[in-house]
Amino acid sequence: MKRFFTSMAVCTIVASAFACTNFIVGKKASTDGSVICSYNADSYGAYMPLYHYPAAKHQKGDKRKVYEWDTNKYLGEIDEALETYNVVGNINEWQVTIGETTYGGREEMADSTGIIDYGSLIYIALQRSKSAREAIQVMTSLVEQYGYCSEGETFTICDPNEAWIMEMQGCGPNRSVSKERTVWVAMRVPDDCICAHANQSRIGKFDMKDKQNVLYSKNVIKFARKKGWFTGRDEEFSWKKAYAAPDFSGRRICDARAWSFFNMYKKGMDRYIPWIMGIDKDAEDFPLWVVPDKKLSVQDVMTAMRNHFEGTPLEIDSTDIGGGIWQMPYRVTPLYFKLDGKKYFNERPVSTQQTAFSFVSQMRSWLPREMGGCFWFGNDDGNMVAYVPIYCSMTRRPECFNAPGADDITFSDKSAFWVCNWVSNMVYPRYSAMFPDLKQVRDSLEKSYFAQQPEVENKAKAMQPAEMQKFLNDYSIEQAQAMLARWKQLATFLIVRHNDMARRPVDAQGRFYRNKHGLGATVERPGMPQPFARKLVKEAGGRYAVPE
């Protein structure tokens, strides 16, 4: 989703700076041979359901109205395809998955006259594509025909066999004169590698002769030359240097998220710390992809989506005032702030409070396509939710991910978005005290999902496609609704256990103790963590010292 523009000056002005993260795992880099990708859709105030577009047949001449994903603004209409495929979330019935992060790029390249935005482009492509390569062809053809009205965008485009990263920008609003509408480049992620992007353009140089693994618009270099943004030999051309050169914001605020993923699963990433710190202009850039030291599971990618720079120089200091007494690894927004005429920033880890939804998509070529795509979905910050299995063939959504009447300003206890945010917002300010209880429930649910998955899928394999589809649909709905019920229990448990900044003791099953007279056991009063007690005493001088 949208972030700040490339200019840091603009970053500090834009109040609603949106931001996202995508991780990608090639099929030979995963533990089971699946292609895996992830996405957190970060947008303050946005209410996002689990999207669904049913498969359909259309007549020649049918039109489709296009509405901007971020604003719901009507943009225009395009020709409808004769056949469209079932889409649930960001995966379709053929296991094609698409995610994105917005990097902005050169502002003059935005085409306000185009009628397809980045969000609409994703869901239209999912409805029309059976493979990642076909999705790239659909996406680039659509924007060439109708114009692309968004800023610079990085797309993750995957299927059960291939993972691609594609970057795209418009050619400005003067299409009637130049006839050029977009520039773009796409690169296939090597099967044994992992890749990441987080609102900073990531593609640098690319081999224009490698037709199998590199795709690009015919004007990809010519347009930059015409604008005076590139003057070297073709083989020296770097997409991001020409169209979205990384500044401090692009490196420290965006690339740092991508680097954190590599750093978790690849030794030697310390060499790129000068780059992600964003200060040294001559620092060595970090690679677009790396071969991990071990093969990654879906659970490993989920763990990465919950990262707060732990164990790195960017780790948020849990003892500073920004996190409060209960050591919250989140910071207040906006990202940038001013004080006494100077500009400051907060670190921006992968896990962030403004996430509207997050997913980890698992695409498996060796299974029937009705069950090969398992779309693990959460309707809030990935650190604060249990990812629920949603199979790609689903035609009916769980009510909790599409609660009637709920929206961005209407709370509903039937909505996973609102119930999960309810719990999260209790936990954030009292993180060290309350998060362990949330984590226990979160991990317990996910453990049960993964434990059940082999049995569920083995049972489904014996079924005919229609029966399999219904069985998996019912299973996913059951798990999602059970998650919602468990999260409601968690909400009430947290208020009872942690009422008035104290803590009631519980047994191993999470049940509250009672004394012999039937009342709840005496509450514990853990007090403030020692680092904050020490700071308080130091700052207060002798004010709170008890006389000897």
Side-chain angles (χ1 to χ4, degrees):
M1 297 189 76
K2 289 183 179 178
R3 76 155 177 120
F4 17 79
F5 289 105
T6 308
S7 164
M8 194 170 104
V10 176
C11 293
T12 61
I13 297 171
V14 179
S16 56
F18 299 163
C20 305
T21 304
N22 287 192
F23 298 148
I24 307 169
V25 180
K27 62 183 180 181
K28 292 183 180 179
S30 67
T31 54
D32 64 354
S34 59
V35 173
I36 306 170
C37 68
S38 68
Y39 176 35
N40 59 347
D42 296 350
S43 176
Y44 287 102
Y47 179 89
M48 295 186 182
L50 179 68
Y51 296 105
H52 178 233
Y53 301 89
K57 297 291 182 65
H58 307 278
Q59 299 297 316
K60 186 175 181 179
D62 284 354
K63 300 292 183 179
R64 176 196 179 113
K65 295 184 184 297
V66 179
Y67 295 87
E68 188 174 36
W69 191 36
D70 287 329
T71 67
N72 203 37
K73 173 186 174 183
Y74 176 67
L75 298 176
E77 63 179 23
I78 65 174
D79 292 329
E80 184 59 279
L82 295 179
E83 181 180 11
T84 52
Y85 308 123
N86 187 71
V87 177
V88 59
N90 286 55
I91 191 170
N92 73 11
E93 61 180 285
W94 299 94
Q95 304 186 57
V96 178
T97 305
I98 305 179
E100 59 76 32
T101 71
T102 305
Y103 63 80
R106 294 182 180 271
E107 294 179 48
E108 62 267 42
M109 294 178 71
D111 178 10
S112 59
T113 65
I115 61 173
I116 298 184
D117 67 295
Y118 76 98
S120 300
L121 189 60
I122 288 174
Y123 296 104
I124 294 171
L126 286 170
Q127 292 173 74
R128 300 184 180 195
S129 307
K130 291 184 178 181
S131 69
R133 287 177 186 265
E134 186 175 11
I136 293 171
Q137 192 277 327
V138 167
M139 295 169 79
T140 56
S141 297
L142 283 170
V143 294
E144 279 300 312
Q145 182 176 358
Y146 297 105
Y148 178 63
C149 69
S150 293
E151 304 155 14
E153 199 77 25
T154 306
F155 297 96
T156 293
I157 307 171
C158 299
D159 65 28
N161 295 297
E162 296 184 344
W164 289 77
I165 178 172
M166 179 172 76
E167 299 198 328
M168 176 185 292
Q169 291 187 227
C171 291
N174 59 339
R175 297 197 321 272
S176 60
V177 177
S178 69
K179 305 299 182 183
E180 292 182 294
R181 301 198 171 183
T182 55
V183 286
W184 59 272
V185 60
M187 300 181 70
R188 182 182 176 186
V189 178
D191 291 341
D192 61 349
C193 288
I194 60 175
C195 180
H197 55 93
N199 305 113
Q200 167 58 49
S201 174
R202 295 277 285 122
I203 296 178
K205 294 180 181 180
F206 52 93
D207 185 357
M208 300 183 73
K209 297 179 181 179
D210 186 358
K211 305 298 184 182
Q212 185 64 24
N213 299 300
V214 181
L215 304 171
Y216 50 88
S217 60
K218 293 179 180 180
N219 64 341
V220 66
I221 299 178
K222 182 175 67 175
F223 185 78
R225 289 188 187 281
K226 182 172 68 174
K227 293 292 186 179
W229 301 332
F230 176 70
T231 58
R233 300 192 306 273
D234 282 2
E235 57 268 26
E236 298 174 337
F237 180 77
S238 166
W239 169 276
K240 66 181 180 181
K241 286 184 178 180
Y243 295 126
D247 56 9
F248 172 81
S249 170
R251 290 163 59 178
R252 181 64 171 263
I253 307 302
C254 302
D255 273 353
R257 277 183 163 190
W259 172 86
S260 72
F261 178 51
F262 291 1
N263 187 60
M264 292 178 72
Y265 301 114
K266 177 71 174 179
K267 293 179 181 177
M269 295 305 295
D270 287 358
R271 67 185 285 183
Y272 303 110
I273 289 176
W275 173 268
I276 58 121
M277 295 298 282
I279 300 172
D280 183 358
K281 293 183 178 180
D282 298 320
E284 180 185 7
D285 194 353
F286 81 114
L288 178 57
W289 48 61
V290 297
V291 178
D293 293 331
K294 69 162 194 170
K295 293 187 176 184
L296 275 64
S297 65
V298 170
Q299 294 96 317
D300 289 327
V301 179
M302 290 176 178
T303 297
M305 294 299 288
R306 293 162 172 157
N307 183 270
H308 295 110
F309 293 129
E310 287 87 353
T312 78
L314 275 64
E315 182 173 5
I316 296 173
D317 185 356
S318 62
T319 67
D320 73 26
I321 192 173
I325 294 176
W326 283 284
Q327 302 166 298
M328 174 178 66
Y330 300 84
R331 291 298 180 265
V332 297
T333 58
L335 184 64
Y336 292 90
F337 61 97
K338 290 183 179 180
L339 181 65
D340 299 331
K342 292 185 178 181
K343 294 178 181 178
Y344 299 88
F345 69 97
N346 289 306
E347 298 291 2
R348 178 178 172 256
V350 175
S351 172
T352 181
Q353 65 266 38
Q354 67 263 32
T355 299
F357 73 77
S358 176
F359 72 70
V360 177
S361 184
Q362 177 184 26
M363 294 150 278
R364 298 167 291 178
S365 61
W366 62 94
L367 293 174
R369 64 183 178 90
E370 291 82 3
M371 61 187 291
C374 191
F375 186 79
W376 299 87
F377 183 77
N379 221 167
D380 192 17
D381 170 12
N383 188 45
M384 294 286 183
V385 295
Y387 285 105
V388 177
I390 301 293
Y391 282 91
C392 67
S393 57
M394 286 181 63
T395 58
R396 294 174 289 112
R397 287 176 286 179
E399 182 187 51
C400 66
F401 294 141
N402 184 42
D407 60 23
D408 55 345
I409 57 173
T410 307
F411 179 90
S412 170
D413 67 357
K414 295 182 178 180
S415 164
F417 175 90
W418 280 121
V419 171
C420 290
N421 273 275
W422 174 22
V423 170
S424 298
N425 281 274
M426 279 198 284
V427 173
Y428 285 136
R430 293 172 63 187
Y431 190 83
S432 63
M434 300 175 77
F435 179 71
D437 290 328
L438 183 151
K439 183 178 184 298
Q440 190 279 325
V441 174
R442 183 197 75 188
D443 293 352
S444 173
L445 284 173
E446 287 183 355
K447 184 178 180 180
S448 70
Y449 301 148
F450 285 107
Q452 294 174 66
Q453 192 176 23
E455 181 181 353
V456 168
E457 293 181 351
N458 284 333
K459 187 174 181 179
K461 284 179 187 178
M463 301 176 181
Q464 294 300 311
E467 184 185 11
M468 179 190 299
Q469 184 274 331
K470 182 181 183 303
F471 172 74
L472 294 172
N473 206 143
D474 291 343
Y475 171 75
S476 292
I477 289 175
E478 179 184 356
Q479 302 310 309
Q481 293 302 129
M483 178 280 296
L484 179 68
R486 186 66 184 89
W487 230 251
K488 288 180 182 179
Q489 291 176 353
L490 176 60
T492 57
F493 174 85
L494 289 173
I495 189 60
V496 173
R497 188 177 195 204
H498 298 277
N499 192 36
D500 292 339
M501 301 188 196
R503 182 172 60 207
R504 287 195 178 274
V506 296
D507 64 18
Q509 285 72 46
R511 295 172 300 199
F512 293 107
Y513 288 110
R514 293 184 181 274
N515 64 24
K516 62 182 181 180
H517 305 294
L519 297 178
T522 303
V523 300
E524 301 166 350
R525 294 187 290 170
M528 70 177 69
Q530 285 295 301
F532 282 88
R534 187 167 288 108
K535 283 189 176 185
L536 175 63
V537 169
K538 181 178 180 181
E539 291 178 7
R543 177 178 176 180
Y544 300 119
V546 177
E548 296 182 4

